[in-house]
């Protein structure tokens, strides 16, 4: 389950990389940076090369508490996204985290290449531990390296058990300039409900009632083609495989 994947991919695809100029040395350097991080923090780090869609994970000992198994090597992932982590994040926090990342990448995308390296996005999210209870985890996302063309390329996302375990409302999101200390706090709670359009929510509600596309089309006085187009958009936005999963996901995230 990975909401807003399409929105993030659209941002990444706007980076017109010259693949003939991509350096593998930058990737290797950053892979060992995330390994060094997890050696110290014992948490989890993901390195994503958005130019080619590869990701690498490094998981420390304390990440076992989050149900993530320690790896001694720098494991290459089969997908650009950290689905094995996302499935452990509280559904409400997952959508807010992804919204924060969309805002972060949109903000730094048009900055001068060296300037964007000064920013990172932070939040505190709930993740299920190894016995199924939710604990608070500190999450940070940043651009680790640009391409030689000056585009965003290598992204690092880290997860550590938070020293603060007191309940909070929301994920406490911040986009911070690490040089100046200036911090922006995006307001995500209200925007979460705009992930699905009014019509998409309406159709999802009718699907929840057990209606088929033909019945939904008749009820809403629209074509079956339009209903099916909305259904496809819902599946893509919520990153699920079928309508029943979409209903369950939307309910868990309190989108409907």
């Amino acid at each position: 389950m990975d909401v807003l994947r399409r929105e993030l991919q659209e941002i990444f695809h706007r980076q017109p990389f010259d693949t003939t100029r991509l350096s593998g040395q930058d990737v290797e350097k950053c892979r060992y940076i995330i390994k060094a991080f997890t050696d110290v923090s014992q948490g989890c780090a993901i390195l994503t090369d958005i130019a080619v869609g590869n990701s690498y994970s490094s998981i420390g000992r304390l990440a076992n508490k989050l149900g993530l198994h320690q790896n001694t090597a720098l494991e290459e992932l089969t997908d650009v996204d950290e689905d094995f982590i996302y499935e452990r994040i509280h559904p409400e926090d997952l959508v807010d985290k992804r919204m924060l990342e969309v805002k972060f990448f949109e903000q730094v995308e048009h900055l001068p290449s060296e300037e964007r390296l000064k920013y990172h996005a932070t939040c505190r999210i709930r993740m299920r531990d190894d016995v199924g209870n939710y604990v608070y985890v500190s999450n940070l996302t940043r651009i680790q390296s640009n391409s030689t063309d000056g585009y965003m390329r290598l992204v690092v996302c880290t997860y550590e058990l938070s020293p603060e375990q007191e309940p909070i409302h929301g994920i406490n999101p911040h986009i911070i300039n690490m040089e100046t200390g200036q911090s922006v706090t995006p307001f995500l709670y209200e925007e979460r409900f705009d992930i699905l359009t009014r019509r998409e929510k309406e159709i999802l509600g009718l699907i929840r009632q057990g209606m088929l596309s033909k019945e939904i089309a008749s009820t809403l006085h629209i074509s079956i083609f339009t209903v099916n187009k909305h259904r496809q958009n819902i599946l893509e936005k919520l990153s699920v495989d079928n309508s029943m999963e979409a209903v369950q996901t939307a309910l868990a995230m309190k989108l409907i």
Side-chain angles (χ1 to χ4, degrees):
M1 180 175 65
D2 177 13
V3 294
L4 299 178
R5 175 182 298 187
R6 182 174 63 180
E7 285 77 0
L8 284 166
Q9 290 301 313
E10 287 176 355
I11 296 173
F12 295 158
H13 290 160
R14 290 200 292 263
Q15 312 295 301
F17 296 105
D18 181 351
T19 56
T20 64
R21 300 180 63 187
L22 296 178
S23 169
Q25 292 181 341
D26 292 341
V27 177
E28 289 304 307
K29 179 181 177 181
C30 288
R31 287 178 69 181
Y32 285 99
I33 287 175
I34 68 169
K35 182 63 167 60
F37 166 82
T38 56
D39 284 346
V40 174
S41 71
Q42 294 299 320
C44 172
I46 307 294
L47 171 68
T48 299
D49 184 348
I50 64 177
V52 296
N54 290 341
S55 291
Y56 307 89
S57 70
S58 182
I59 301 175
R61 179 175 54 84
L62 293 183
N64 290 342
K65 181 173 175 56
L66 300 176
L68 306 175
H69 301 293
Q70 182 179 8
N71 55 13
T72 55
L74 290 165
E75 181 180 351
E76 184 169 354
L77 305 180
T78 57
D79 194 278
V80 72
D81 290 298
E82 307 103 297
D83 290 333
F84 74 104
I85 293 179
Y86 292 162
E87 65 185 12
R88 309 196 69 83
I89 299 176
H90 190 286
E92 291 180 60
D93 293 357
L94 175 59
V95 66
D96 287 351
K97 165 184 158 59
R98 294 300 261 172
M99 288 173 61
L100 171 63
E101 290 172 344
V102 169
K103 289 183 176 294
F104 169 71
F105 287 117
E106 286 179 338
Q107 177 174 322
V108 303
E109 176 184 9
H110 301 294
L111 293 176
S113 58
E114 291 305 311
E115 188 71 18
R116 70 169 65 104
L117 300 182
K118 300 175 183 178
Y119 288 83
H120 65 216
T122 65
C123 60
R124 185 155 69 103
I125 55 179
R126 291 166 288 178
M127 292 181 65
R128 284 186 290 108
D129 64 14
D130 53 349
V131 294
N133 298 320
Y134 280 111
V135 295
Y136 281 100
V137 171
S138 298
N139 174 230
L140 181 146
T141 301
R142 62 165 296 175
I143 311 292
Q144 184 66 35
S145 178
N146 296 301
S147 70
T148 53
D149 306 283
Y151 300 109
M152 301 184 295
R153 183 186 177 186
L154 300 178
V155 176
V156 171
C157 190
T158 63
Y159 301 82
E160 299 177 80
L161 191 64
S162 174
E164 300 291 336
Q165 291 296 317
E166 291 297 319
I168 60 172
H169 177 70
I171 65 170
N172 194 27
H174 296 281
I175 298 175
I176 303 171
N177 183 318
M178 294 177 286
E179 182 176 272
T180 66
Q182 182 180 7
S183 175
V184 175
T185 303
F187 294 98
L188 305 176
Y189 183 75
E190 294 296 332
E191 294 186 30
R192 182 198 308 163
F193 302 103
D194 293 332
I195 290 178
L196 298 178
T197 67
R198 181 188 62 80
R199 180 65 91 182
E200 288 166 350
K201 292 176 183 177
E202 191 173 19
I203 289 174
L204 204 51
L206 296 176
I207 292 173
R208 185 186 179 191
Q209 295 176 28
M211 286 191 181
L212 302 176
S213 291
K214 181 178 180 180
E215 297 170 310
I216 294 173
S218 176
T219 299
L220 300 180
H221 306 290
I222 57 178
S223 70
I224 294 180
F225 174 83
T226 300
V227 172
N228 289 334
K229 181 62 176 177
H230 282 306
R231 291 178 77 130
Q232 185 60 38
N233 287 339
I234 291 168
L235 299 187
E236 290 180 0
K237 287 182 178 181
L238 301 182
S239 188
V240 293
D241 295 325
N242 57 64
S243 295
M244 293 312 299
E245 288 184 9
V247 170
Q248 294 168 359
T249 298
L251 288 171
M253 294 179 176
K254 298 184 178 179
L255 300 178
I256 57 174

